[in-house]
Amino acid sequence: MTMTMMGIPMPPVAYIGIHSKGSTPRLSILIIIALLCSSFAAGTQRRSQQQRKPTGTASKDLDYYKVLGIKRKSSGKEIKSAYRKLALKYHPDKVLEAEKEESEDKFIKVSEAYAILSDEKKRDVYDKYGKSGLEAFERGVDPEEAGFGFGGGGGSAGNGFGGGGGQNTFNFGGGQQGGGGPHGQKFAFNLFEEMFRQQGGGGGGGSQQQKPQAPADLFPRGESDVSKLGSPKFPDETSKYLWLVMFYSNELRECAKAQPALEQLADKLKTKGTYKVGAIDCKKNPQEAAFCKKRGVSAKKLPRFGFIVDGEIAFYDDKEGIITSMKQLHDFAVANMPHSLVENINHPSQLPDRLLDSAKKAKGNKGAVLLFTDKYETSGLYYSLAYRFRFNMLFGESRAKSLVMAKEFGVKKYPHLIVLVPKGKGKESYSDDYDMVRYTGDLKTIEPVSKWLAELAQPDPKERKETTDRRRRQRQQQRQEYGL
């Protein structure tokens, strides 16, 4: 039978002590009191440890450079840009409810990294003496005299966001310690607000009424990979590039939620160059609002996404609401590529009718481009290339390893690109009217092959002047149309 005292179960030892022969009541009582005190102290210690367990903790093992995804030699501008992108990505207000806890932890760590690396003195100390040396410096101790060394994060630098453990002792400045808990969390949000607060509107102190501050620009020049567009500079039928454009307002929460997906896509496309990514603020001023309205975009229904080909906008319409992922945006862009610019050529007999005869008749045409591929679908990269040179060349594609086409043109490796140029301008002869030029460079990105084609498609001075004049007239007409 279990014996209790004051509602608390007594250990068997205490129970035996009371009933064993030869024991004194006083000794038994002392044993019971000692056991109860020991149990109470252990429980208090466990509760205290649980209460002290930090949330959103930062680790001593964090490598600040890896947290921000930058190199050790990164400039201040690159550090600021990296923080801006990650802070927007992991801000708890911009993620789903189920992701808030994890995002807040990353948000705090990103803020900690930026707070240190954006401060030249702290960054220098961190690089030389590591995290521990930085903490000593913030306590007023000379890290060199204290014997710290091996800078750049210390410990297991590869942890990054996955880093765990370690007591949370970093200093955000101003004497407030701790990255987890209320201090670090408060600092992280204050840092975010300061970063995205634009200048202007601040009133004086005292009883003066402060003017409301303008909302932060979602795509600030020089920091965002998304190109800022406006009515004077908006893609039209003469534009060299395909464009994915977001019509937005800095004032709307829905636009802020869609911003990270557009930034990620723009960053992804920097090297491939399949199409350009831009944004226009439809509430910047009455002029921009009128421009957006004429383009079919209401300032009351933002954000909206459009893909622009030859000055015409194909809008993304989603019954469920707003685009929130990079994949959604890219799939929308690919679906609206200018498919008519690329002819499917699966047999040499199709060349004259589908490509070469048209090339002869086209004014200023410099040849026909033919891509040999083992794929069954035309890539967005090739559509983009065809669009860039739509005024100078015609484009065809032989898909799925066509054996008869490979034999005709001596193709042994895929992908393979050739250009059929007027007789006398190529290295290999193809027919009475055309020579061949083969491309031997990289076909994974658009810029190298685009540069190569530009040399082949170089217009003569007269054609260049005509093109320049035509584009100037179109720009002037556009400005007059929108009252610019």
Side-chain angles (χ1 to χ4, degrees), residues 3 33 39 82 88 120 132 171 235 245 262 275 285 307 322 358 401 424 426 430 458-459 463 467 484:
M3 185 174 182
I33 292 173
S39 176
L88 282 168
E120 290 186 10
S132 298
N171 191 343
V245 177
L262 197 69
Y275 48 87
N285 52 48
F307 195 73
I322 304 301
S358 299
K401 287 186 177 181
Y430 174 67
Q458 194 68 247
E463 290 176 350
T467 301
L484 303 179

Side-chain angles (χ1 to χ4, degrees), residues 408-449:
E408 175 77 7
F409 290 92
V411 175
K412 298 179 180 179
K413 187 178 179 181
Y414 298 92
H416 190 88
L417 188 75
I418 68 166
V419 180
L420 296 170
V421 295
K423 197 67 176 178
K425 294 188 176 182
K427 296 181 179 180
E428 299 179 52
S429 176
Y430 174 67
S431 68
D432 293 338
D433 298 317
Y434 287 96
D435 287 341
M436 284 193 302
V437 182
R438 298 180 189 270
Y439 178 68
T440 58
D442 179 25
L443 281 170
K444 293 180 180 179
T445 57
I446 198 171
E447 293 307 327
V449 66

Side-chain angles (χ1 to χ4, degrees), residues 142-356:
D142 187 330
E144 185 172 357
E145 292 182 359
F148 291 104
F150 306 104
S156 175
N159 282 342
F161 283 139
Q167 189 177 357
N168 183 21
T169 58
F170 60 83
N171 191 343
F172 276 131
Q176 290 187 339
Q177 297 274 347
H183 295 310
Q185 184 187 66
K186 181 179 179 181
F187 176 86
F189 282 97
N190 287 343
L191 183 65
F192 180 85
E193 291 176 7
E194 184 65 28
M195 164 68 76
F196 291 90
R197 185 184 299 130
Q198 291 183 333
Q199 293 293 330
S207 61
Q208 289 184 351
Q209 185 176 1
Q210 292 187 347
K211 298 179 182 179
Q213 293 178 334
D217 193 343
L218 295 177
F219 307 101
R221 295 184 188 277
E223 297 177 23
S224 171
D225 291 320
V226 177
S227 299
K228 289 295 290 290
L229 300 174
S231 50
K233 184 184 176 182
F234 196 82
D236 58 20
E237 63 272 18
T238 66
S239 297
K240 181 179 179 181
Y241 306 106
L242 297 166
W243 281 87
L244 174 69
V245 177
M246 174 178 170
F247 298 83
Y248 75 101
S249 167
N250 292 316
E251 303 169 2
L252 299 179
R253 184 182 181 88
E254 291 79 4
C255 295
K257 286 183 177 180
Q259 183 268 356
L262 197 69
E263 283 283 11
Q264 291 173 35
L265 184 60
D267 180 65
K268 194 84 172 178
L269 292 170
K270 277 193 301 186
T271 54
K272 282 203 167 185
T274 309
Y275 48 87
K276 296 287 186 178
V277 179
I280 178 171
D281 185 354
C282 291
K283 288 190 175 183
K284 183 178 181 180
N285 52 48
Q287 176 181 302
E288 299 293 43
F291 177 82
C292 290
K293 186 176 181 180
K294 287 185 178 181
R295 290 282 176 169
V297 178
S298 170
K300 296 179 181 179
K301 296 181 179 180
L302 298 173
R304 287 203 76 184
F305 294 89
F307 195 73
I308 304 176
V309 180
D310 287 326
E312 298 295 325
I313 306 175
F315 286 106
Y316 179 88
D317 292 308
D318 182 6
K319 296 180 181 179
E320 297 181 359
I322 304 301
I323 287 181
T324 56
S325 76
M326 182 178 72
K327 185 178 184 303
Q328 280 179 292
L329 286 171
H330 184 64
D331 288 348
F332 162 64
V334 170
N336 287 280
M337 289 284 172
H339 301 97
S340 61
L341 291 180
V342 178
E343 292 284 351
N344 185 17
I345 312 290
N346 285 325
H347 194 278
S349 62
Q350 297 172 341
L351 270 170
D353 182 50
R354 297 187 182 183
L355 213 59
L356 300 182

